[in-house]
Amino acid sequence: MKNSIGREIPSKIAGRKLKPYKGPFSFKPKGRKYSPPLKAVFPGESKVLASIKEAIKKCGIEDGSTISFHHHLRNGEGIVNMILNEIAKMGIKDITLAPSALFPVHEPLIEHIKNGVISSIHGSLNGPIGAFISQGGKLKEPVVLRSHGGRTRAISSGDLHIDVAFIATSIADEYGNGNGMYGKSAFGAIGFAYADALYADKVVVVTDNLQPYPVTPMSIPQTVVDYVVKVESIGDPSGIKTGTMQITKSPARLAMAKNVVKLFLKAGILKDGFSFQAGAGGTSLAVTKFLHEYMKKNGIKGNFVMGGITGFVVSMLEDGTIKKILDAQSFDLEAVESIGKNPDHVEVSHIMFGNPHTAGCIVNKQHACFLGATEVDIDFNVNVNTHSDGLLLHGIGGHQDAAAGSDITVILAPLLRGRIPVIRKEVTTVSTPGDIVDVVVTEKGIAINPKREDLIEALKGMPIVDIKDLYKKAVRLAGEPKKPRFGDDVVAITEFRDGTVLDEIRSVKGW
Amino acid sequence: MKIKRKGIAGTENKRDCIITVSKGDGFILKSKVKEMFDEHIEELVKKKLDELNLKAKVEIQENGALDYVILARLESAIAKACNEKIPDEMVARKEMEGLRRTRMYVPGNNPRMMNNAGAYGCDCIILDLEDSVAIEQKEDARYLVKNALKSLDFSAETWVRINKETAKEDISIIKYGSPHGVCIPKVESNEDVHSIEKILMEEGMKAKLMPIVETAKGVANASEIAGASENIVAIAFGAEDFTRDIGGKRKWHSLLYARGRIIIAAKAFGIQALDTIYPNVNDMEGLREETIKIIEMGFDGKGVIHPSQIEIIHECFMPTKEEIEEAKKIVDTIEKAKKKGLGTASINGKMIDLPVEKKARRILKMGGIL
């Protein structure tokens, strides 16, 4: 069947009927939230277990169970491989993995997919596992890719039922109170794990830093935690900062970033109270830096920055340019340090960040966001998941949520990367629908979504171009690239944050 | 055309390619994106060979080169292999309004810098065949500059700085790209201008001229140079070579006389005076300070060697609020009159003539409004 943006999608996967995407705010949920079982821990009972193996047994993990993890330590994450190895050793098969994301460090999971320990995945795939799945995979059912907000919606609605959540914390007490702010493996905010903690049937806190009761802040509260396991290490915080988190040095990208500041100024939002979502891509970091400089110079005070928090945002808080940081995910060690000591650097969950089926999430209060893209098409649809060779290499992240909520959504995209056009007639995969994308800033001009007549008027004087002309320009400079050959099998779907389906991703058969 | 020997062009740098043309036939492409673009690039090469009625073996080692770069390297390799110039057709070019606050020098053999040169909003882009290009790369650079002019949208007035010694070779190739103008380096007399004009005439190329004065002799003859041709729209000052020539140091006071002399010469002939570049790309405050001073002296623009300098210079040229308001009024009145189908417009009974309108539009452009 086809959805409202003309994408062909399967009508069902794994026996589950799919709802086609019909527009960003057209789906109204009904019913009640999923509720986890009642629990009781009586005085004198201990939650501390001796090993991961014991936790797996006590939680009753068996063939077909669904287990979840967070990825705050990103490429330094250390418990997923550990736990899956243990599960494999115990002969358990057919596990559904529901991590918030997987990274190159999780490449060893490919073996567990091959031998049937893992049979399906709900979660973002960054790097080798995505590539493996694109090339034929071997999972029983397609991977479901969701935005950060969308994942919390799926969990809270029961679409994604979690049997056992393993939550790594860098500090915890014996009753399970824990957070990510302190300890040798501190990673800052633990926004991804809130939904898992609230809605999983069983919750296991895994820590390498067990401290006397009570540990505060109680980001993960004792009331939901069944067991606590101490391990040697939950991972390596130096893996948080990956290559994408370096500010760009390219004069062209810097010029794009400056144009974003000008654009916000012309659109009338860059004034006292300005609030935005910061990103971690090289050009996004430059925008944050330039916004900071401009606001400081002109005495503009912002209300909050949501993130994806980096040292760039921390310095805005420290010199009083903004009043609050709302942090669901800390992107570097400066952010990790700040959240542990500055009361105005506030931890929030991804439910609060972007779950559309709540009584209002943070993205709704953002004036602006500026996001990256692998491809953008002439209908303003954005692809952040697949590369032009068809391989699934990235998750959706908070892309859809930020775009849906913010007053102005800017996509930062060069016209070409090397020879490969970024502005396309049709994106390989729709990750974020064009309905919620307002402006595309390239080094060869700025394209405004025709729906935003207000912006077309306000941005006069800037180098405005028709997005179709950008596409033509890209093709004139480098030609139309050949598409890879896709197979018939759907290896993944991209879900919109409200649970409707945007697109399917097919296997790649080469060229 | 016939291949006499092996011809090689291009570099290993990013956004570039190395093309080897030799006797025989066949097409070999080495590229990270071969699967996506092999047919497209082969087609591009085949079309060019057919156009030249040439049979050749072409090998390409591609590193993110856009089509214009591939064509440029192919032409240069063929020219070397055949020892002949590659014929072409001149492109049409839209006139610009002549604002020259910033003119950015872009090395003529560097595709990576050329690709995005139009992204920074400078008024003029000078594709340089002179000092920034090594002798052995001059031929490659001529074809690259020509193809860049034909393919890239610079959104600026485009100029080519030629070599004084090889002006004929330079012009005979870059003319097909129809740049708005030609910068003539190291001009010391009106004859230097005349000899370039003669070549332009022989080559059938029309272009504005910008003599660059950068020697003691040039400064001494500034008036003669400014009046040497009607095609001269601006004189540019080159302080680096000038300082070397006079044996002094680059200081504000040591350049003051030369700057003054150039201003007077230019203004006496109603053309623009354009100041030298600011060499320290990390010193933005120094750039700002110098730019404010040269504007006060009467200069109409300043040279740029790094994109980050453009915004600072444009800020220095920013008109006052009152000037912008006045200009807005003039342009609004004209637009309204045009809508009504009227040929003329007036404010307080005074007719707005073309020079006034042009000046108003220029102020709005400088103020970032138009």
Side-chain angles (χ1 to χ4, degrees), chain A residues 251-252 255 258 262 266 388-389 416 418-421 443-444 460-461 473 475-482 511, chain B residues 15 33 35-41 62 64-67 70 115-116 119-120 151-153 307 311 368-370:
Chain A
K258 282 211 167 134
K262 272 187 209 156
K266 280 193 175 256
S388 302
D389 56 11
L416 302 142
R419 277 194 69 85
I420 303 174
E443 76 282 29
K444 310 271 184 196
K460 272 188 182 160
K473 199 176 256 190
V475 172
R476 210 162 49 230
L477 288 169
E480 184 83 66
K482 255 191 292 181
W511 296 93
Chain B
R15 310 285 173 264
V33 289
E35 290 89 352
M36 277 182 224
F37 291 106
D38 52 354
E39 286 166 20
H40 173 78
I41 294 174
E62 190 275 334
L66 299 181
D67 287 2
I70 293 173
N115 286 348
N116 291 325
Y120 315 116
S151 296
L152 294 178
D153 174 13
E311 200 180 1
I369 312 248
L370 267 185

Side-chain angles (χ1 to χ4, degrees), chain B residues 109-121:
Chain B
N109 202 35
N110 188 326
R112 192 172 56 86
M113 289 187 181
M114 275 182 202
N115 286 348
N116 291 325
Y120 315 116

Side-chain angles (χ1 to χ4, degrees), chain A residues 192-326:
Chain A
F192 288 114
Y194 275 68
D196 307 49
L198 284 174
Y199 296 102
D201 285 1
K202 296 273 184 201
V203 175
V204 181
V205 162
V206 181
T207 189
D208 52 11
N209 180 23
L210 201 57
Q211 294 293 333
Y213 183 88
V215 159
T216 60
M218 294 159 168
S219 302
I220 304 301
Q222 63 188 53
T223 48
V224 299
V225 179
D226 297 278
Y227 303 109
V228 178
V229 181
K230 183 169 186 299
V231 295
E232 192 66 30
S233 164
I234 59 163
D236 175 9
S238 70
I240 296 176
K241 197 167 176 170
T242 60
T244 58
M245 289 168 212
Q246 301 289 331
I247 194 160
T248 184
K249 287 197 180 94
S250 146
R253 306 271 169 108
L254 289 170
M256 283 160 57
K258 282 211 167 134
N259 267 339
V260 176
V261 178
K262 272 187 209 156
L263 182 166
F264 291 159
L265 201 61
K266 280 193 175 256
I269 57 171
L270 187 45
K271 55 186 183 197
D272 280 345
F274 181 58
S275 299
F276 65 95
Q277 178 167 331
T283 320
S284 293
L285 289 178
V287 177
T288 302
K289 182 171 169 266
F290 292 146
L291 280 171
H292 186 188
E293 284 170 9
Y294 183 86
M295 292 169 78
K296 205 172 159 181
K297 198 174 152 195
N298 294 281
I300 297 169
K301 297 266 179 262
N303 280 1
F304 75 87
V305 173
M306 174 73 223
I309 298 302
T310 59
F312 290 98
V313 181
V314 170
S315 66
M316 295 180 84
L317 182 66
E318 286 178 351
D319 70 11
T321 305
I322 52 167
K323 290 179 190 155
K324 304 267 182 189
I325 289 176
L326 302 181

Side-chain angles (χ1 to χ4, degrees), chain A residues 463-479:
Chain A
I464 306 299
V465 284
D466 189 317
I467 195 156
K468 293 188 190 78
D469 291 335
L470 282 177
Y471 160 69
K472 281 182 207 150
K473 199 176 256 190
V475 172
R476 210 162 49 230
L477 288 169

Side-chain angles (χ1 to χ4, degrees), chain A residues 12-277:
Chain A
K12 57 166 85 165
I13 57 169
R16 180 164 74 95
K17 266 176 111 182
L18 301 183
K19 295 188 283 280
Y21 170 79
K22 285 182 178 163
F25 307 109
S26 60
F27 180 73
K28 283 237 168 120
K30 282 190 213 112
R32 295 186 161 271
K33 281 190 260 190
Y34 174 79
S35 50
L38 293 168
K39 297 179 181 182
V41 171
F42 296 120
E45 288 178 9
S46 167
K47 297 186 186 180
V48 180
L49 303 180
S51 66
I52 291 291
K53 187 174 174 184
E54 200 186 343
I56 294 168
K57 273 191 188 155
K58 285 254 189 188
C59 290
I61 294 177
E62 56 187 11
D63 291 0
S65 292
T66 298
I67 60 174
S68 79
F69 303 89
H70 70 71
H71 72 274
H72 285 286
L73 280 156
R74 298 175 66 83
N75 208 38
E77 202 287 321
I79 73 164
V80 173
N81 290 339
M82 186 200 301
I83 291 169
L84 266 298
N85 286 345
E86 203 56 56
I87 285 174
K89 258 194 252 164
M90 292 165 74
I92 302 167
K93 302 246 174 205
D94 213 9
I95 291 289
T96 292
L97 207 57
S100 50
L102 296 175
F103 278 78
V105 68
H106 299 118
E107 192 170 352
L109 296 185
I110 290 175
E111 276 313 303
H112 297 314
I113 296 172
K114 282 184 183 162
N115 60 31
V117 175
I118 298 168
S119 65
S120 59
I121 299 177
H122 286 245
S124 297
L125 305 175
N126 297 293
I129 298 175
F132 170 73
I133 287 173
S134 287
Q135 285 155 341
K138 263 206 141 181
L139 289 173
K140 256 197 205 158
E141 54 189 79
V143 173
V144 181
L145 299 170
R146 297 184 173 100
S147 72
H148 293 336
R151 178 176 184 270
T152 65
R153 179 213 57 79
I155 292 170
S156 66
S157 69
D159 280 5
L160 175 56
H161 166 76
I162 299 169
D163 291 310
V164 183
F166 289 93
I167 300 176
T169 64
S170 62
I171 184 168
D173 61 38
E174 74 269 16
Y175 234 41
N177 296 301
N179 62 62
M181 298 175 199
Y182 310 105
K184 64 170 175 154
S185 309
F187 50 79
I190 194 165
F192 288 114
Y194 275 68
D196 307 49
L198 284 174
Y199 296 102
D201 285 1
K202 296 273 184 201
V203 175
V204 181
V205 162
V206 181
T207 189
D208 52 11
N209 180 23
L210 201 57
Q211 294 293 333
Y213 183 88
V215 159
T216 60
M218 294 159 168
S219 302
I220 304 301
Q222 63 188 53
T223 48
V224 299
V225 179
D226 297 278
Y227 303 109
V228 178
V229 181
K230 183 169 186 299
V231 295
E232 192 66 30
S233 164
I234 59 163
D236 175 9
S238 70
I240 296 176
K241 197 167 176 170
T242 60
T244 58
M245 289 168 212
Q246 301 289 331
I247 194 160
T248 184
K249 287 197 180 94
S250 146
R253 306 271 169 108
L254 289 170
M256 283 160 57
K258 282 211 167 134
N259 267 339
V260 176
V261 178
K262 272 187 209 156
L263 182 166
F264 291 159
L265 201 61
K266 280 193 175 256
I269 57 171
L270 187 45
K271 55 186 183 197
D272 280 345
F274 181 58
S275 299
F276 65 95
Q277 178 167 331

Side-chain angles (χ1 to χ4, degrees), chain A residues 11 38 41 54 76 130 144 150 158 218 331 343 345 375 392 411 440 476 505:
Chain A
S11 55
L38 293 168
V41 171
E54 200 186 343
V144 181
M218 294 159 168
F331 267 147
H345 185 155
E375 298 170 334
L392 168 58
I411 302 296
V440 178
R476 210 162 49 230
I505 297 172

Side-chain angles (χ1 to χ4, degrees), chain A residues 264 269 273-279 303-309 325-328 348-350 352-354 360-371 398-410 438 452 497:
Chain A
F264 291 159
I269 57 171
F274 181 58
S275 299
F276 65 95
Q277 178 167 331
N303 280 1
F304 75 87
V305 173
M306 174 73 223
I309 298 302
I325 289 176
L326 302 181
D327 187 353
V348 296
S349 71
H350 283 90
M352 194 175 228
F353 159 70
C361 45
I362 292 170
V363 293
N364 296 356
K365 303 298 284 178
Q366 291 171 183
H367 297 122
C369 64
F370 29 95
L371 310 163
H399 209 280
Q400 290 172 2
D401 305 302
S406 306
D407 295 347
I408 299 180
T409 295
V410 173
D438 301 314
R452 292 299 300 260
R497 60 203 291 263

